[in-house]
């Protein structure tokens, strides 16, 4: 069967079937609130700052939602099941990480010490792909003008930099899980 043409263009480039628009609208109206509800039920952890594991789940959720919306071969029920499974797996992994600490090594990277007592650890910074200017920017953004007055700068599991001044370091107990302390 020959595809109709409009002014030399393939009609399917613009619209295959007008009923596709209705399907897309209905699926979006039903799927979007379901995804929001699933994320709310799964807790704040799912929507927190992203570590690598959370990012993978977030990208997978977006990809799954796009597939549900745009693929006629995926039914609404199959799509909602896929979204539910991804959220449940993320919730289960977070639950496991809290209940069984050794699993954290598989799911999350450890925080890493980039500077201790005013001394930059250039070898660690190179491995973590952090520049001196990023360290200085983190110190400035938290109101510090002198690196030598800092107790530590830590690359956290979500990629953010924590800056701890000497006056607020205390016994350093907040650094016990930091690699290279």
């Amino acid at each position: 069967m020959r595809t109709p043409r409009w002014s030399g263009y393939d009609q399917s480039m613009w619209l295959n079937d007008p009923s596709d628009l209705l399907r897309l609208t209905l699926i979006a109206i039903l799927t979007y609130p379901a995804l929001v509800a699933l994320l709310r039920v799964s807790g704040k952890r799912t929507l927190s700052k992203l570590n690598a594991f959370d990012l993978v789940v977030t990208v997978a959720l977006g990809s799954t939602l796009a597939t549900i919306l745009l693929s006629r071969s995926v039914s609404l029920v199959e799509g909602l099941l896929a979204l539910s499974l991804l959220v449940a797996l993320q919730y289960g992994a977070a639950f496991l990480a809290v209940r069984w600490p050794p699993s954290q090594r598989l799911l999350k990277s450890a925080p890493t010490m980039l500077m201790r007592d005013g001394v930059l650890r250039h070898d660690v910074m190179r491995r973590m792909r952090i520049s001196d200017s990023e360290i200085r920017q983190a110190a400035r953004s938290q109101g510090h003008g002198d690196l030598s007055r800092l107790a530590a700068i830590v690359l956290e599991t979500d990629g953010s930099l924590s800056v701890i001044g000497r006056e607020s370091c205390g016994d350093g107990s907040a650094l016990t899980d930091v690699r290279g302390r």
Side-chain angles (χ1 to χ4, degrees), residues 3 38 90 95 134:
T3 306
L38 283 168
Q90 195 278 341
F95 181 84
E134 289 173 289

Side-chain angles (χ1 to χ4, degrees), residues 115-129:
M115 190 188 86
R116 181 66 180 198
D117 297 322
V119 178
L120 293 172
R121 295 180 168 181
H122 290 286
D123 57 327
V124 176
M125 290 169 55
R126 267 191 298 281
R127 243 185 0 261
M128 297 293 128
R129 299 180 312 275

Side-chain angles (χ1 to χ4, degrees), residues 5-178:
R5 298 201 176 266
W6 296 337
S7 306
Y9 291 100
D10 184 350
Q11 177 187 357
S12 65
M13 180 174 110
W14 302 105
L15 181 63
N16 285 332
D17 182 355
S19 68
D20 288 345
L21 297 177
L22 179 61
R23 178 192 179 280
L24 176 65
T25 303
L26 289 174
I27 295 294
I29 288 170
L30 296 171
T31 306
Y32 182 76
L35 178 58
V36 170
L38 283 168
L39 292 174
R40 295 283 297 158
V41 166
S42 68
K44 292 178 184 177
R45 172 80 171 79
T46 306
L47 302 173
S48 67
K49 286 186 175 182
L50 301 179
N51 60 43
F53 181 75
D54 297 326
L55 178 64
V56 168
V57 171
T58 301
V59 169
L61 285 170
S63 177
T64 302
L65 182 59
T67 301
I68 296 165
L69 292 174
L70 298 174
S71 177
R72 295 193 103 198
S73 64
V74 177
S75 72
L76 176 62
V77 173
E78 290 170 329
L80 291 175
L81 177 61
L83 290 173
S84 299
L85 286 172
L86 285 170
V87 170
L89 289 169
Q90 195 278 341
Y91 181 85
F95 181 84
L96 183 66
V98 170
R99 303 289 178 171
W100 189 51
S103 68
Q104 287 184 16
R105 284 190 296 269
L106 296 171
L107 300 173
K108 293 194 285 186
S109 60
T112 304
M113 184 74 65
L114 300 175
M115 190 188 86
R116 181 66 180 198
D117 297 322
V119 178
L120 293 172
R121 295 180 168 181
H122 290 286
D123 57 327
V124 176
M125 290 169 55
R126 267 191 298 281
R127 243 185 0 261
M128 297 293 128
R129 299 180 312 275
I130 301 289
S131 68
D132 289 15
S133 63
E134 289 173 289
I135 296 289
R136 289 190 298 274
Q137 186 273 327
R140 288 190 306 269
S141 70
Q142 295 190 26
H144 299 282
D146 185 352
L147 293 180
S148 68
R149 293 185 181 194
L150 297 178
I153 296 182
V154 176
L155 176 62
E156 300 293 352
T157 61
D158 65 1
S160 63
L161 295 173
S162 294
V163 178
I164 302 169
R166 286 197 179 157
E167 67 283 349
S168 61
C169 187
D171 66 358
S173 59
L175 301 172
T176 58
D177 63 339
V178 175

